[in-house]
Amino acid sequence: MTDTTGNTTETGGPVAADSAPRKSSWRYIGPGIVVAATGVGAGDLVATLIAGSNFGYTLLWAAVIGCLVKISLAEACGRWHLSTGRTLFEGWASLGRWTTWFFAVYVVVWGFVYGAAAMSSSALPLQALFPDVMDLKWWGVACGVVGLVFVWFNKYAVFEKVMTVLVGVMFVVTVYLAIRVTPNLADAFAGLLPVLPDEKDSVLNTLGLIGGVGGTITLAAYGYWVNAKGWTDTGWMKVMRLDNRVAYLTTGVFVVAMLFVGAELLHSANIAIASGDKGLVQLGDILEAEYGTATAKFFLIGFFATSFTSLIGVWHGVSLMFADFVARLRAGTEATGEKVASGERERSWPFRLYLLWLTFPPVVLLFQGQPFRLVVIYGVLGAAFMPFLALTLVWLLNSPRTPTEWRNGWLSNGMLGIAGLLFLVLCVKQIWDQPWSEFFQ
């Protein structure tokens, strides 16, 4: 397998007995499935669907590059956890107090707004499937509470199994739809050539597609899921890399399948859909008119699986990160992967406190709408997190904090550098596009 560090020889000391390399095997796969399921939400699928409806297969290459960029980021997170035995937050803390302040503000504001968005997204397909049962808002509350109870009472092993089943549902539905619309394979292969659409802001729109799919705080959570699986030393490095590639191969299938649907079903018929989760409800109506009720219902089940995996993935992964963050601040001692692997973090009160924060305060937003200024702050912080992640990983993995043999090589530095630049451009655009004149009124 390719060594993404770019190093061809090991320069460190002898490998300890408990760090003996494990043979990379499909039977170990798990955290990658979790990160793929969590990272690809309904909004990501709509963005790809709209790209297909607007430009046909022209931006297929951009979707593929987006998956390659995310592979490098997730691999770097996993490599840090396994090579140092320390968690990512421990690495961030070593760079200065500014990282602590950034993460503290980010995780509180982001969690509050995201909680409402995730519950609403999971509720939409349920209301479409069972329109006469209850109101959309109460479906949202129900999804949030079910997610809370599930994560509260189950450890990582059960969580991973459920995520795997839901990913299977997502996979079957998206691939079925891609086949059902009968893609033009000649045009699809042509779409792998890097060509920009002939329209205003085509560069920024293309960069947005590359950076948008599967790129959230869940990339940072990948290292924590690797530890929660029981992988805590360099002996698991090959397994982690295989697992990570499976994650983004799966993500690639979802993305390409939805782009096929957008290109064939919407672009050819010149049909426009709304951005955001409601666009998928519209797609359900279009599928019903075109292929019948059974296909539409089948799609809505896949839509729910997509949304609910993102919900419970964040409920677990970001709560795990928050628990590690609080433990490091309270004890002032090193935050290690062994503590995550032991299940200690999942049993802690900060883990459960953040679970409650994701579930109950956001209910206010479901019923009263999202405050304008809070949404602006959420947008800015969310845009800033991905360049923060990419650039701090470059810093950590090129420094003495990482054992010599596991530091970045030219390939990893190149990919992380591209990711950092990409997300920095998107961050500046996001900040620029915010309605600041209204914000300060």
Side-chain angles (χ1 to χ4, degrees):
M1 294 178 67
T2 303
D3 182 352
T4 54
T5 64
N7 299 328
T8 55
T9 60
E10 294 186 357
T11 58
V15 179
D18 62 349
S19 299
R22 272 77 172 179
K23 185 179 178 181
S24 56
S25 170
W26 293 96
R27 66 192 177 93
Y28 292 126
I29 298 304
I33 296 296
V34 172
V35 77
T38 307
V40 180
D44 298 311
L45 294 186
V46 172
T48 312
L49 194 65
I50 290 175
S53 69
N54 290 340
F55 311 118
Y57 294 103
T58 305
L59 291 180
L60 181 59
W61 64 272
V64 173
I65 287 178
C67 291
L68 294 176
V69 167
K70 306 311 182 326
I71 284 175
S72 67
L73 282 165
E75 187 275 341
C77 291
R79 177 154 46 94
W80 167 266
H81 277 249
L82 295 181
S83 66
T84 66
R86 293 177 290 163
T87 64
L88 187 54
F89 184 75
E90 178 67 32
W92 285 337
S94 73
L95 300 179
R97 293 188 65 83
W98 65 275
T99 59
T100 301
W101 285 108
F102 174 79
F103 184 77
V105 174
Y106 173 83
V107 81
V108 171
V109 175
W110 182 88
F112 182 53
V113 180
Y114 180 83
M119 287 187 273
S120 177
S121 178
S122 298
L124 280 168
L126 290 176
Q127 189 188 44
L129 283 165
F130 310 105
D132 301 321
V133 175
M134 56 182 161
D135 185 71
L136 178 69
K137 297 179 179 65
W138 289 109
W139 273 120
V141 174
C143 289
V145 172
V146 169
L148 167 74
V149 172
F150 170 71
V151 174
W152 189 295
F153 290 105
N154 289 291
K155 300 307 174 194
Y156 175 79
V158 177
F159 164 71
E160 183 190 286
K161 286 182 174 64
V162 170
M163 291 289 273
T164 302
V165 170
L166 291 173
V167 166
V169 173
M170 291 168 61
F171 189 90
V172 170
V173 170
T174 53
V175 170
Y176 167 76
L177 288 179
I179 295 170
R180 193 77 171 82
V181 299
T182 319
N184 185 319
L185 295 181
D187 287 349
F189 280 115
L192 294 173
L193 295 173
V195 176
L196 290 174
D198 185 19
E199 64 155 32
K200 184 183 176 184
D201 294 332
S202 62
V203 173
L204 288 173
N205 289 336
T206 303
L207 291 178
L209 179 62
I210 293 172
V213 179
T216 66
I217 192 174
T218 54
L219 282 168
Y222 178 64
Y224 286 87
W225 284 322
V226 162
N227 288 156
K229 180 76 170 175
W231 307 347
T232 57
D233 56 52
T234 55
W236 291 101
M237 197 70 76
K238 285 186 177 180
V239 176
M240 181 275 292
R241 284 172 170 159
L242 174 64
D243 178 75
N244 177 44
R245 286 160 193 166
V246 169
Y248 285 96
L249 177 62
T250 306
T251 299
V253 170
F254 295 150
V255 170
V256 170
M258 292 309 287
L259 194 136
F260 281 9
V261 173
E264 292 296 340
L265 188 63
L266 305 179
H267 182 68
S268 58
N270 199 25
I271 299 172
I273 61 169
S275 60
D277 302 338
K278 291 183 180 177
L280 290 186
V281 175
Q282 281 183 267
L283 178 61
D285 295 336
I286 294 166
L287 287 169
E288 184 169 10
E290 191 76 19
Y291 301 114
T293 303
T295 296
K297 298 289 185 190
F298 189 49
F299 165 72
L300 288 171
I301 292 168
F303 176 7
F304 173 73
T306 301
S307 298
F308 195 64
T309 51
S310 291
L311 186 151
I312 60 176
V314 166
W315 263 229
H316 186 276
V318 183
S319 297
L320 202 54
M321 292 181 70
F322 182 76
D324 188 59
F325 165 74
V326 173
R328 173 68 171 70
L329 284 186
R330 290 180 69 213
T333 55
E334 212 173 64
T336 66
E338 291 284 357
K339 289 182 180 175
V340 177
S342 71
E344 179 182 321
R345 296 287 187 256
E346 291 172 282
R347 294 189 297 269
S348 67
W349 67 262
F351 180 89
R352 289 174 172 171
L353 179 66
Y354 195 74
L355 264 179
L356 295 170
W357 174 253
L358 283 167
T359 306
F360 293 112
V363 168
V364 175
L365 303 183
L366 287 178
F367 285 90
Q368 295 187 1
Q370 299 181 354
F372 171 72
R373 286 182 175 82
L374 183 63
V375 172
V376 171
I377 294 169
Y378 168 80
V380 170
L381 286 172
F385 183 81
M386 291 304 288
F388 167 78
L389 175 63
L391 297 173
T392 53
L393 283 170
V394 170
W395 190 348
L396 289 170
L397 293 168
N398 283 288
S399 75
R401 297 172 181 84
T402 304
T404 306
E405 65 194 278
W406 300 113
R407 289 179 199 165
N408 279 357
W410 65 268
L411 179 58
S412 192
N413 273 328
M415 292 298 291
L416 289 177
I418 290 168
L421 230 125
L422 164 68
F423 290 118
L424 201 56
V425 169
L426 293 175
C427 176
V428 171
K429 182 181 184 297
Q430 178 83 352
I431 293 170
W432 182 266
D433 289 346
Q434 296 298 328
W436 294 109
S437 57
E438 299 173 41
F439 183 85
F440 291 109
Q441 283 179 1

